[in-house]
Amino acid sequence: MRRAADADVCLLLEGTFPFVRGGVSSWVNEMLRAYPQTRFAIVFIGSREQDYHGAAYKLPDNVVHFETHYLYETGSVDARRPREIEGDAAAFAKSAELHAALRDVRGADVGKLMAEMVPTLGEHGALNEAQFLASRQSWEFIVEQYEKHCTDPSFTDYFWTVRIMHKPLWLLANVAEKLIPAKVYHTISTGYAGFLGALLHYRTGRPLLISEHGIYTKERKIDLLQSQWIRDNRGAFERDISRISYFRELWVRFFEAIGKLAYDAADEIVALYETNRLRQVADGAVAGRTRSIPNGVDVDGLAPLVEQRIAGRHKVVALIGRVVPIKDIKTFIRAMFVASRSMPDIEGWIIGPEEEDPAYALECHALVESLGLAANVKFLGFQRIDDVLPKIDVIALTSISEALPLVVLEGFAAGIPSITTDVGACRQMIEGLDEEDRALGSAGAVVQIANPAAFAQAVVALLNDDARWQAAQQAGLARVRRYYTKAQMTDSYRALYEKLAAAPDVPRGSRSAATGGCPVHHGAPASPHAAQAGETR
Amino acid sequence: MSKLISTLVNVLSFAGYVLVEYFAYLSFLRAPAGVDPLLAGFVVQAVVALVQAVLLRQMLPARYREPRFWTLLLLWVLCTFVPLGAGFVLLASCIWAAWFPGTRDSDQLTDVPRPEFVSYLVSRVSHGGGARLQARLINTQVSSTDRLTALVAIQSMPTRTTGTLLRDLLADPIEDVRLIAYGTLDQAENEIMQKIFTTAKALEQAKDDSERHAINRRLAELYFELVYQNLVQGAVYRHTLEQADRYARDALATDDKDAALWLIRGRLALAEGRPDEAGHYMERALELGFPRERLTPWLAEVAFLRGDYAQTSQWLATLGNAAALPTLKPAVTYWSS
């Protein structure tokens, strides 16, 4: 365990580096190595210790401080019988005010309320964990909220949902209280890590930087809306089929609220691409503090691969990525099945580790077998990218959710066009963002998600049209060299770090969470290519 | 076993109780000279009583042991002022209590007020919201939260009826809608694919013909379920039909008296546009005793596809108005008028 007295940048990581592999983790890894002079502290937040099996990445030497915290560790049974405490009425009134403000964000200064509340959440504060768990004020507040708002008949379920939902927040408050000082706090998601960032910001007055790959709040929402574990106790007469069950809604609102608190506390909010930035603004981020910094790849390092390509008929389509459901490998396999009808010699390669979700990998193998595709589709496992890229003619990406997938950029830099689903920044990467970018031409094709026939058609069309393929290759090369180099990315973050580190301390609660300057109204429908993110590889 | 041990502990505790009392008496007899024997005896008894109180407390039933301090204090007072007697009185009362237990209400239970019917939940419900779900979903002008709510609501409906709608939503402008629509379809498909996967594994290990027949039959049904639930499209749809038919054939090869399987083959042939073959299979199912009224709609469809409209009308007429399903009713009315 590394320990230090202070650090330059404190990274708040939830469920990623260094224990979990994926696009976000490798991005963090690269960031750490890009600034060898900066001293980093890392706070890892996970669910339970047993869910992580050792570090997947080695910590570089400039990580001077490292600590882990688990939010859902099963604690020991209460040693002593909890005693009822009265509770500080004024503190609970403040908390009620904050809850009311979160319920209706218009006009309320959530950031200021939060700033006032943060000191009371600590171990000896007026709103500490014991107060939440055992005070009469807390009980009365919960009962009142239930009677006023809850549409689910079960009070028991309501009570425990509220308790379980809020419990991690006190754990994070304790973490914030004990954490070493840093010049800049940098969280790479909202959610619990973002909440911790907000706590640290209000406690220390140091700037908070949020850079999101995906949009955490949205991913949680999708997840919660589909989950099976949330109960709905409404009886036949109480059920309004057109309304979501109350507990589901409560969970969604909880994550929306802690996301909003993080945005309010942040000094700079970075998205990977424009669509996500608009989404952040729609979710309550102040537009003036948001910006986009795209990922970049080592264009010069990959350039020699263009020369290594052997001219010939194009027939190899490769999906480079972990074999997991979010990549929708099955759609790729089905697309290969459809494509093989018109192009029998087509080859589909699936390149990526299969350990993360062995059951899914097995299903994919079974699907290949049942479609009789053994000759066309190959699982190559983990491969060195330099070895395989020169042999690939088209990079395929069938994911149902992506942010700004690096593999597409790496493909471009190695002279390979891409066919992707219409997710994340894919359309922006393939067709271009603004006029100037679009003028470079199309570097492949974008199709609808989960549509094997459309995907197959796009693949076959591109492989069989040499002129189009050449044009797509040139467009990809030009685009990645102009907009997506690694140097551009590291320079942007270096400038941000330097600016924030030099900023003076902000006195507690002095900065209001401005409500003006927001070009998109809260709750407005997301823009046409509303984007999703997550692990990119 | 634990009862035996607890009895043993009780006996030992009581023996210990008597033993320490005996030591106390010995010390009374050898009281040192120059000290008031009564005072010395009292002090010794008070100390001994402390040990006795701890021992006797062990013998008490669980609910008399708490609160610990007060129980111990009472036992100590008893043992101090009623030497030896206290223990026997306690023992006797414990035995008495064990033989004639009192009918006392447990203090763990208390009265709760009678539950009330909470009318506010019912009054908040707007009924009939379900009917507008589809309209809300298709209309992209409706606010996105409203559409998401509608989408979550239709998750619980069968994919057979919502499949087409969900598939259209995969191209929706709002990403949240796309993802949830995808998730719903994917889950429905995965459920069946998982079963197919495990059943196919079982087929490899099947030992005899009857087992193989059952497994083949199940595989045919599962592949057919993919088609029925509207979960496969295009080339994969045709492939799935072939798979279903293959397993149905394999199952019939071991036992060709399975009427339901002939119906499945018939419906697969219909789906592939081979009405003559379908008619043949349906006839076979009928011969094997499949209920005529359930086959009739399919036979009518076969006749229709063959262009034999008189026959179609005849088949549907046999259904009668009463028996027809609501979805079938317009067809029956049309052909019988």
Side-chain angles (χ1 to χ4, degrees):
Chain A
M1 277 295 130
R2 300 190 189 180
R3 289 282 182 261
D6 62 64
D8 296 329
V9 176
C10 178
L11 281 173
L12 312 172
L13 310 175
E14 180 179 334
T16 59
F17 183 87
F19 295 114
V20 179
R21 276 196 183 279
V24 175
S25 302
S26 49
W27 182 84
V28 173
N29 192 32
E30 278 175 21
M31 285 287 285
L32 292 171
R33 284 162 206 278
Y35 310 110
Q37 304 305 320
T38 310
R39 296 163 65 248
F40 283 95
I42 291 182
V43 179
F44 175 85
I45 300 168
S47 51
R48 292 173 307 173
E49 194 167 4
Q50 77 227 50
D51 297 336
Y52 306 96
H53 313 287
Y57 296 86
K58 196 174 165 294
L59 290 182
D61 293 334
N62 56 337
V63 175
V64 293
H65 183 90
F66 180 74
E67 53 184 81
T68 54
H69 298 280
Y70 300 98
L71 299 181
Y72 287 98
E73 208 68 81
T74 34
S76 51
V77 187
D78 288 346
R80 266 184 309 165
R81 241 183 126 109
R83 281 165 182 281
E84 180 190 314
I85 29 186
E86 186 42 45
D88 181 340
F92 276 94
K94 271 266 169 275
S95 145
E97 207 181 321
L98 177 67
H99 281 87
L102 288 170
R103 198 169 262 284
D104 180 18
V105 286
R106 274 162 304 175
D109 195 344
V110 177
K112 186 159 166 284
L113 288 170
M114 185 65 194
E116 286 170 13
M117 219 171 102
V118 166
T120 62
L121 292 175
E123 211 165 334
H124 304 291
L127 276 181
N128 65 12
E129 190 171 7
Q131 293 283 336
F132 168 65
L133 291 177
S135 77
R136 178 151 288 278
Q137 293 283 342
S138 167
W139 164 263
E140 273 163 11
F141 184 62
I142 293 175
V143 171
E144 185 199 316
Q145 293 291 308
Y146 167 76
E147 283 171 352
K148 215 195 261 172
H149 301 293
C150 187
T151 54
D152 193 287
S154 167
F155 176 75
T156 312
D157 280 1
Y158 177 79
F159 178 75
W160 288 107
T161 304
V162 168
R163 273 169 84 109
I164 290 166
M165 189 181 276
H166 287 77
K167 203 163 183 293
L169 303 187
W170 274 276
L171 198 143
L172 294 173
N174 289 342
V175 172
E177 209 168 31
K178 298 191 182 110
L179 193 64
I180 59 163
K183 291 200 188 102
V184 178
Y185 295 101
H186 181 184
T187 168
I188 57 161
S189 64
T190 55
Y192 294 113
F195 183 77
L196 177 60
L199 290 174
L200 287 163
H201 167 76
Y202 292 126
R203 186 170 274 284
T204 62
R206 292 308 305 163
L208 173 66
L209 165 65
I210 299 181
S211 62
E212 283 193 283
H213 275 231
I215 300 293
Y216 183 99
T217 312
K218 182 188 62 184
E219 285 165 19
R220 279 282 177 179
K221 186 168 160 188
I222 304 281
D223 206 33
L224 287 164
L225 291 180
Q226 300 193 78
S227 60
Q228 309 281 323
W229 56 267
I230 302 176
R231 293 187 61 138
D232 181 359
N233 303 302
R234 292 174 296 177
F237 294 113
E238 296 152 351
R239 177 181 249 128
D240 180 349
I241 181 154
S242 59
R243 287 194 64 177
I244 302 176
S245 83
Y246 191 75
F247 298 140
R248 220 179 266 271
E249 198 190 310
L250 200 63
W251 275 107
V252 171
R253 268 197 292 117
F254 171 78
F255 284 108
E256 278 173 357
I258 61 173
K260 167 84 176 123
L261 289 173
Y263 285 146
D264 273 347
D267 295 81
E268 289 283 348
I269 301 165
V270 182
L272 274 185
Y273 53 99
E274 184 60 14
T275 329
N276 264 6
R277 189 186 73 81
L278 292 175
R279 176 87 189 206
Q280 290 172 331
V281 173
D283 284 350
V286 177
R289 294 186 208 148
T290 58
R291 67 169 79 197
S292 300
I293 301 180
N295 279 340
V297 291
D298 182 8
V299 170
D300 299 328
L302 289 163
L305 300 184
V306 186
E307 307 306 317
Q308 290 174 26
R309 299 193 61 81
I310 302 154
R313 193 173 130 71
H314 303 306
K315 60 173 190 183
V316 178
V317 187
L319 188 152
I320 305 180
R322 296 164 294 138
V323 180
V324 289
I326 200 169
K327 301 285 170 193
D328 200 3
I329 309 283
K330 287 180 182 175
T331 289
F332 176 71
I333 295 170
R334 290 193 184 110
M336 284 301 106
F337 175 75
V338 178
S340 68
R341 302 280 118 150
S342 55
M343 208 180 143
D345 63 340
I346 195 168
E347 283 185 41
W349 295 355
I350 297 166
I351 303 168
E354 298 178 15
E355 301 88 68
E356 193 175 320
D357 191 341
Y360 183 74
L362 207 60
E363 282 169 35
C364 290
H365 282 277
L367 184 65
V368 169
E369 209 175 298
S370 80
L371 291 173
L373 274 178
N376 297 93
V377 175
K378 293 188 187 105
F379 290 85
L380 299 183
F382 183 79
Q383 297 276 329
R384 272 180 52 83
I385 203 159
D386 303 19
D387 300 338
V388 288
L389 281 181
K391 299 175 204 152
I392 296 169
D393 299 314
V394 168
I395 299 264
L397 194 83
T398 48
S399 308
I400 52 162
S401 174
E402 283 287 353
L404 190 132
L406 279 180
V407 59
V408 172
L409 294 178
E410 283 164 349
F412 285 173
I416 311 168
S418 275
I419 293 176
T420 71
T421 42
D422 188 4
V423 291
C426 288
R427 194 172 282 279
Q428 168 183 337
M429 287 154 81
I430 286 175
E431 294 176 356
L433 182 63
D434 48 24
E435 279 306 308
E436 203 188 330
D437 194 355
R438 283 176 172 277
L440 295 175
S442 163
V446 182
V447 296
Q448 188 198 317
I449 59 166
N451 190 336
F455 202 91
Q457 199 189 358
V459 168
V460 173
L462 187 61
L463 287 177
N464 287 334
D465 185 344
D466 198 48
R468 216 187 112 200
W469 192 93
Q470 298 292 348
Q473 178 186 43
Q474 291 311 315
L477 279 169
R479 185 163 292 131
V480 73
R481 283 172 185 167
R482 186 176 306 173
Y483 297 104
Y484 301 102
T485 64
K486 196 181 208 165
Q488 284 168 328
M489 182 185 88
T490 45
D491 288 349
S492 303
Y493 273 101
R494 178 176 295 119
L496 262 185
Y497 279 159
E498 279 167 6
K499 185 184 116 188
L500 292 175
D505 286 5
V506 186
R508 210 170 270 163
S510 70
R511 193 192 62 199
S512 110
T515 39
C518 169
V520 177
H521 291 295
H522 187 81
S527 65
H529 332 292
Q532 155 82 1
E535 301 296 270
T536 46
R537 268 195 296 177
Chain B
M1 190 63 197
S2 65
K3 199 164 181 184
L4 187 74
I5 290 175
S6 72
T7 316
L8 204 65
V9 169
N10 282 341
V11 169
L12 284 176
S13 300
F14 199 76
Y17 168 80
V18 177
L19 196 67
V20 286
E21 193 61 48
Y22 172 68
F23 287 139
Y25 281 119
L26 285 185
S27 70
F28 295 157
L29 298 177
R30 293 182 200 160
V35 183
D36 180 1
L38 185 64
L39 188 66
F42 182 75
V43 170
V44 169
Q45 182 60 32
V47 173
V48 164
L50 204 64
V51 180
Q52 289 177 328
V54 173
L55 288 171
L56 289 179
R57 184 172 166 275
Q58 291 304 312
M59 296 168 56
L60 289 180
R63 71 165 182 264
Y64 291 129
R65 283 183 215 163
E66 297 290 335
R68 191 192 314 189
F69 175 75
W70 294 107
T71 314
L72 282 175
L73 185 70
L74 178 70
L75 289 172
W76 177 75
V77 169
L78 282 176
C79 294
T80 309
F81 294 105
V82 194
L84 205 56
F88 284 98
V89 170
L90 196 81
L91 186 67
S93 45
C94 276
I95 291 170
W96 180 271
W99 277 350
F100 307 104
T103 49
R104 211 167 57 96
D105 290 333
S106 164
D107 56 357
Q108 311 266 324
L109 299 177
T110 50
D111 284 342
V112 289
R114 191 178 300 160
E116 287 168 54
F117 182 70
V118 274
S119 54
Y120 70 90
L121 276 179
V122 179
S123 62
R124 275 183 206 165
V125 175
S126 68
H127 289 282
R132 299 191 308 270
L133 286 179
Q134 284 228 353
R136 267 161 64 188
L137 267 174
I138 300 166
N139 187 352
T140 44
Q141 303 299 314
V142 176
S143 89
S144 61
T145 31
D146 213 21
R147 296 183 67 211
L148 269 184
T149 315
L151 189 53
V152 172
I154 70 160
Q155 276 181 343
S156 52
M157 298 181 184
T159 355
R160 164 149 176 82
T161 52
T162 58
T164 318
L165 174 67
L166 288 173
R167 197 154 287 108
D168 289 345
L169 290 176
L170 288 178
D172 198 85
I174 298 170
E175 198 196 12
D176 302 20
V177 171
R178 292 201 299 259
L179 287 175
I180 293 186
Y182 173 82
T184 314
L185 284 171
D186 191 52
Q187 201 187 342
E189 187 196 322
N190 264 344
E191 252 169 54
I192 301 177
M193 289 304 279
Q194 288 282 357
K195 285 184 199 153
I196 289 181
F197 185 66
T198 45
T199 318
K201 279 262 164 308
L203 183 63
E204 287 163 20
Q205 284 150 14
K207 281 178 223 68
D208 51 45
D209 269 3
S210 74
E211 200 178 335
R212 229 177 319 249
H213 170 79
I215 294 174
N216 272 323
R217 183 199 159 123
R218 176 140 175 79
L219 278 170
E221 285 167 352
L222 284 170
Y223 273 108
F224 185 67
E225 189 70 16
L226 281 176
V227 175
Y228 178 79
Q229 290 211 15
N230 210 351
L231 291 169
V232 281
Q233 251 62 44
V236 186
Y237 171 78
R238 285 187 292 280
H239 179 79
T240 310
L241 288 179
E242 281 163 26
Q243 293 288 319
D245 200 48
R246 198 189 96 201
Y247 286 111
R249 255 183 334 213
D250 287 356
L252 287 169
T254 44
D255 173 15
D256 64 351
K257 298 274 186 289
D258 196 331
L261 270 176
W262 284 111
L263 173 62
I264 286 185
R265 285 205 72 188
R267 291 181 63 179
L268 289 168
L270 264 183
E272 283 180 283
R274 300 192 306 266
D276 290 329
E277 212 176 304
H280 172 69
Y281 297 146
M282 302 270 182
E283 296 287 350
R284 187 96 178 86
L286 201 57
E287 281 165 28
L288 291 168
F290 199 85
R292 177 182 287 268
E293 52 281 17
R294 280 175 60 195
L295 268 180
T296 306
W298 303 114
L299 289 166
E301 191 174 335
V302 167
F304 176 78
L305 289 174
R306 278 172 171 164
D308 187 352
Y309 304 125
Q311 184 71 42
T312 310
S313 171
Q314 256 180 31
W315 277 120
L316 287 176
T318 62
L319 266 180
N321 259 339
L325 293 166
T327 44
L328 216 55
K329 221 155 199 163
V332 175
T333 320
Y334 176 84
W335 285 99
S336 51
S337 59

